[in-house]
Amino acid sequence: FFRFGGLHGTVMGLEVVLPDGSVMHLNMEIDKDSGTIKQGSTHRKDNTGYDLKHLFIGAEGTLGIVTKVAMACPALPTSKNATILVCDSYTNVLKVLQTAKDELGEILSAMELMDYNTLQLVQEHGFGDSGSRLLKDMLQSDPTTQHSEVDRPLFLLVETQGSNSDHDASKMDSFLTHLFERDIINNGFLAQDNKQMAEMWNIRESCNPSVARAGCVYKFDVSIPIEDYMDVAWEVERKLLTARNSFHPTVCVWGHIADGNAHINIVTPGKFGKDSVLTKDIEATVYESVMRRNGSISAEHGLGQSKNDYLSHIKEKSVLDMMTKMKALFDPHGIMNPGKFLPRKKI
């Protein structure tokens, strides 16, 4: 959710077991009798030394093992609204995003983008939504009569969360009215109750399993400057279609547009076996396109052993050297998740 940010902002404290067996408590205390975190022992503000907990968040177990976590959990909202919007261009998607930030402001909780290719596969292979009237209405625009990928419709799921239903509904109505008046959107669907809201989120959550049912999927989780969000997918699609006449990929994009986080999924329809040579070609094409735009090749899903060697292309030598020294300091014998996260030649 755009509103609540990532784990670095919500993790308050950690208990971490280091490779030598010692235990660190970072911004937390443990009750010796119960073994639980002492209430009130975590603090939003604590500048007494280095904030070491952030070293272990996203380190994929290469520095230590996290055994306890204290998290800041927001209260459940008493008011929620959701709408799905249809845009005929990415330029208009950007206008919707800016308008949402300006007019929905503090109640804007999520903005999810889904492209036409993705929703076509959800309709064909979806879990429970293949017969959805809402999905059929969303897909009424037929891109087969259009000339390029940039003309395909794009779909946005916008959600708000707040504490005053009348206030929040009024802001959503005003937001939608302004979008229609300025011809920023072609169509819009406003959830009238919790059931319709759940249907909208079910369509969004069906993206991943639906593409998996369609064929072999080459998956990428990247961060891209928001103005270039769709350019990467379109560029990759053009290059792959040009490079391999026998390879007819379906490039699908969905993700957290407000954060610049895109899930690019390249599908080989009807073919479920992964081609190792093709994998390398696709990875090189996607990562080159992302890095050329100063994006990140791993937004949420980590580096593991398939993306770690790309670090030398996107991190300065001084940064990589410091990361290697930290790894050696915490794990001098290299026993923690070896071969992962850092480039293999650096470990």
Side-chain angles (χ1 to χ4, degrees):
F1 279 80
F2 167 71
R3 179 173 177 178
F4 304 114
L7 281 177
H8 282 281
T10 54
V11 171
M12 300 283 289
L14 295 176
E15 178 184 81
V16 181
V17 179
L18 299 179
D20 64 3
S22 60
V23 180
M24 287 201 306
H25 295 105
L26 306 172
N27 197 32
M28 69 162 59
E29 293 181 26
I30 303 298
D31 185 282
K32 293 182 180 179
D33 295 327
S34 65
T36 59
I37 301 169
K38 283 186 180 180
Q39 187 172 0
S41 67
T42 60
H43 309 286
R44 271 291 187 186
K45 294 182 178 181
D46 180 9
N47 286 318
T48 55
Y50 300 116
D51 197 351
L52 296 177
K53 67 179 180 289
H54 292 292
L55 290 178
F56 298 92
I57 300 172
E60 302 180 27
T62 57
L63 301 179
I65 298 175
V66 175
T67 50
K68 286 185 174 67
V69 182
M71 298 190 67
C73 299
L76 289 173
T78 57
S79 167
K80 292 174 69 174
N81 291 282
T83 182
I84 286 182
L85 309 175
V86 185
C87 296
D88 62 4
S89 70
Y90 187 67
T91 298
N92 281 338
V93 168
L94 293 177
K95 292 179 181 178
V96 172
L97 177 57
Q98 188 58 55
T99 304
K101 290 179 178 179
D102 292 342
E103 299 192 11
L104 298 177
E106 78 286 352
I107 64 171
L108 177 62
S109 58
M111 180 172 284
E112 301 288 301
L113 178 140
M114 299 164 282
D115 76 342
Y116 185 88
N117 286 348
T118 300
L119 291 189
Q120 258 195 327
L121 293 181
V122 172
Q123 187 177 48
E124 294 172 14
H125 304 283
F127 292 73
D129 278 307
S130 57
S132 165
R133 174 62 184 271
L134 171 61
L135 185 57
K136 290 178 181 177
D137 289 343
M138 289 164 58
L139 291 173
Q140 275 185 344
S141 298
D142 183 7
T144 57
T145 60
Q146 298 168 342
H147 302 292
S148 69
E149 66 273 11
V150 297
D151 294 322
R152 298 171 191 158
L154 296 165
F155 306 87
L156 292 168
L157 170 56
V158 182
E159 186 191 79
T160 64
Q161 296 185 10
S163 58
N164 186 312
S165 56
D166 291 338
H167 167 270
D168 299 348
S170 176
K171 292 191 83 167
M172 177 64 87
D173 288 342
S174 176
F175 165 68
L176 294 176
T177 298
H178 289 162
L179 294 179
F180 276 113
E181 287 178 346
R182 299 168 191 167
D183 293 325
I184 296 175
I185 57 176
N186 287 2
N187 206 348
F189 307 86
L190 178 63
Q192 300 301 311
D193 52 36
N194 288 336
K195 182 179 178 181
Q196 291 184 1
M197 245 184 288
E199 182 181 10
M200 290 179 176
W201 275 107
N202 197 19
I203 291 172
R204 165 61 182 87
E205 297 301 331
S206 294
C207 294
N208 194 52
S210 297
V211 298
R213 279 190 165 186
C216 181
V217 185
Y218 301 83
K219 305 179 75 65
F220 300 90
D221 165 58
V222 298
S223 282
I224 309 166
I226 293 176
E227 60 271 18
D228 298 327
Y229 194 90
M230 288 302 300
D231 289 345
V232 170
W234 293 331
E235 181 180 288
V236 168
E237 184 175 51
R238 288 192 297 269
K239 286 185 176 180
L240 292 176
L241 288 171
T242 301
R244 288 179 170 269
N245 294 327
S246 61
F247 174 51
H248 303 287
T250 299
V251 179
C252 299
V253 187
W254 68 86
H256 321 301
I257 178 64
D259 295 327
N261 180 194
H263 302 302
I264 299 175
N265 286 245
I266 299 168
V267 190
T268 54
K271 299 178 181 179
F272 291 88
K274 184 159 280 192
D275 184 321
S276 59
V277 175
L278 184 58
T279 298
K280 292 182 179 180
D281 289 347
I282 292 175
E283 285 182 355
T285 302
V286 173
Y287 292 151
E288 189 278 330
S289 184
V290 171
M291 290 188 292
R292 185 159 31 83
R293 292 172 171 84
N294 298 314
S296 170
I297 64 171
S298 180
E300 295 176 326
H301 298 171
L303 294 169
Q305 59 186 350
S306 63
K307 292 184 276 189
N308 52 341
D309 285 335
Y310 282 92
L311 273 183
S312 58
H313 298 287
I314 58 177
K315 297 293 186 185
E316 294 179 355
K317 182 179 183 301
S318 60
V319 174
L320 275 178
D321 288 345
M322 182 55 68
M323 291 169 69
T324 303
K325 290 176 183 177
M326 288 168 49
K327 168 69 172 173
L329 176 65
F330 282 96
D331 183 21
H333 302 294
I335 63 173
M336 303 300 291
N337 211 6
K340 314 296 195 305
F341 195 66
L342 292 178
R344 276 171 278 259
K345 63 182 180 180
K346 289 280 185 181
I347 298 175

